[in-house]
Amino acid sequence: MQKKFNTKTLYAYKFIGQCLPIYAFYSLLFLQRGQSVTNVAILIALWSAFAIVFEIPAGVIADRGNRRNLLALGALLQGIGFIIWFFSHSFALFTLGFLFWAMAGALTSGTEEGLIYDNLKYDGREADFTAVYGKAHFYANIGTIVGILSAGVIAIFIQIEIIALISAAICFLNVFLALQLREKNFYSEKMVEEEEEVGFFETFIKASTFIRGSKIALVSILFLVLFASIGGYLDEFDVLIVNDWELSTIWVSAILTIRFVFVALGDLLAPILEKKISTIKQIFMFNLFGSAILLIFVLVWHQFALILFGLAFMLMAVTQILLTTALQNEIKEEGRATVMSIVGIGQNIGMITLSLVFGLLAGLLTLQQVYLMIAVYGIVGGLGFAVFCKGLKLIKTSP
């Protein structure tokens, strides 16, 4: 009998994986190494584009192979990317670093959700998915906060390129933690037991067929991509708000810390709220309320209203956790990681699209007006999906 899934190891893996001080300084590193602001924007766009290319192959591999080993490989590739940045002085090498980071992201996207759900299912704990998944995200966000705050201190004493090496070392430590996770993959085990010959693309086809055939899955994915992930799409632009207010750079750390603290609270709040909901419409309403609070923040548009900024993204984080749970409960064994990779592709396309639209609007409107349009977009989307999906019941797993 295998030991029960060790969630403490999972939480340590998630915390260490995001506790990377380079997050706060990689754009500045590019600028110090001779890249223009335009080049930095192109690099970030390429990062998302690379992720789109690798998402589906990585998801299929995760469903057919050893997910634990893929998580370890992802951490290794991310560390290699940061080492490349340490030596880089050219656009091409910075691009290569993002290529490795994109591969790492694709290997973990969907793989983590599949590994967590199947391990909990094996232990008869599927009903704990929201709590475990939410807590894993909580520790990841706490890791991000620690990384950002420590980066400001570290940068006083050492050069930014050394921070890239420190971040690489942290990634390599996470390889060890990933390998301590228990491996469980019902999809691949079923293929082995039944000696089923399933082609590489058949796994993707099965996942796509499942999505088309499940209204809950389809609307969950659409809402995740179009509305619930807006908070994540916008985090690259937080610094622009501080710049618009003409505040000191210390407020950059303040706004990032507020954002991630509230998102972390949302991760913990999700399993509590899950007990109160029975329809997917109720999940959409959390995001609607988040967008409404964001609208109030935009109308106030002052640093003393940043708590509203945090609350808005907290409710969006709750929405993401609950929709992911709804999606995982719909899936039986057919390609959990592949389904989540399809979500990942949509989110990367959403990130690129919002960045382009944001850049276009920022050239025509004030920053406050741009955020106003985004908040209204979220409200309209929440209302539309709530009306369209009225009465659509969620599958509940028994505790």
Side-chain angles (χ1 to χ4, degrees), residues 56-204:
I56 292 300
V60 173
I61 291 170
D63 280 325
R64 298 166 67 93
N66 188 300
R67 291 169 178 163
R68 176 187 60 196
N69 292 346
L70 287 179
L71 294 180
L73 178 59
L76 177 65
L77 292 175
Q78 189 174 17
I80 292 173
F82 295 151
I83 289 176
I84 291 172
W85 283 353
F86 172 76
F87 292 104
S88 177
H89 285 81
S90 70
F91 181 85
L93 282 180
F94 285 129
T95 301
L96 182 62
F98 266 130
L99 176 64
F100 275 88
W101 196 348
M103 286 191 290
L107 288 174
T108 58
S109 171
T111 306
E112 290 179 351
E113 290 87 349
L115 182 140
I116 294 169
Y117 197 95
D118 278 357
N119 269 292
L120 292 176
K121 183 176 181 179
Y122 182 73
D123 292 337
R125 297 174 56 202
E126 303 101 300
D128 292 338
F129 177 80
T130 303
V132 173
Y133 184 64
K135 207 167 183 179
H137 269 255
F138 168 80
Y139 281 107
N141 282 305
I142 294 300
T144 301
I145 294 168
V146 172
I148 290 170
L149 293 177
S150 64
V153 177
I154 294 171
I156 297 173
F157 303 100
I158 63 175
Q159 295 177 319
I160 294 176
E161 56 264 31
I162 303 298
I163 293 178
L165 285 185
I166 293 173
S167 299
I170 293 172
C171 289
F172 298 149
L173 171 61
N174 220 28
V175 173
F176 171 78
L177 286 173
L179 291 174
Q180 306 313 303
L181 295 169
R182 189 181 71 181
E183 169 64 16
K184 196 66 188 172
N185 188 331
F186 283 110
Y187 181 81
S188 64
E189 288 175 7
K190 181 181 178 182
M191 286 195 297
V192 172
E193 289 173 6
E194 298 180 0
E195 297 182 352
E196 187 179 357
E197 292 292 334
V198 178
F200 186 87
F201 290 104
E202 287 181 53
T203 300
F204 171 69

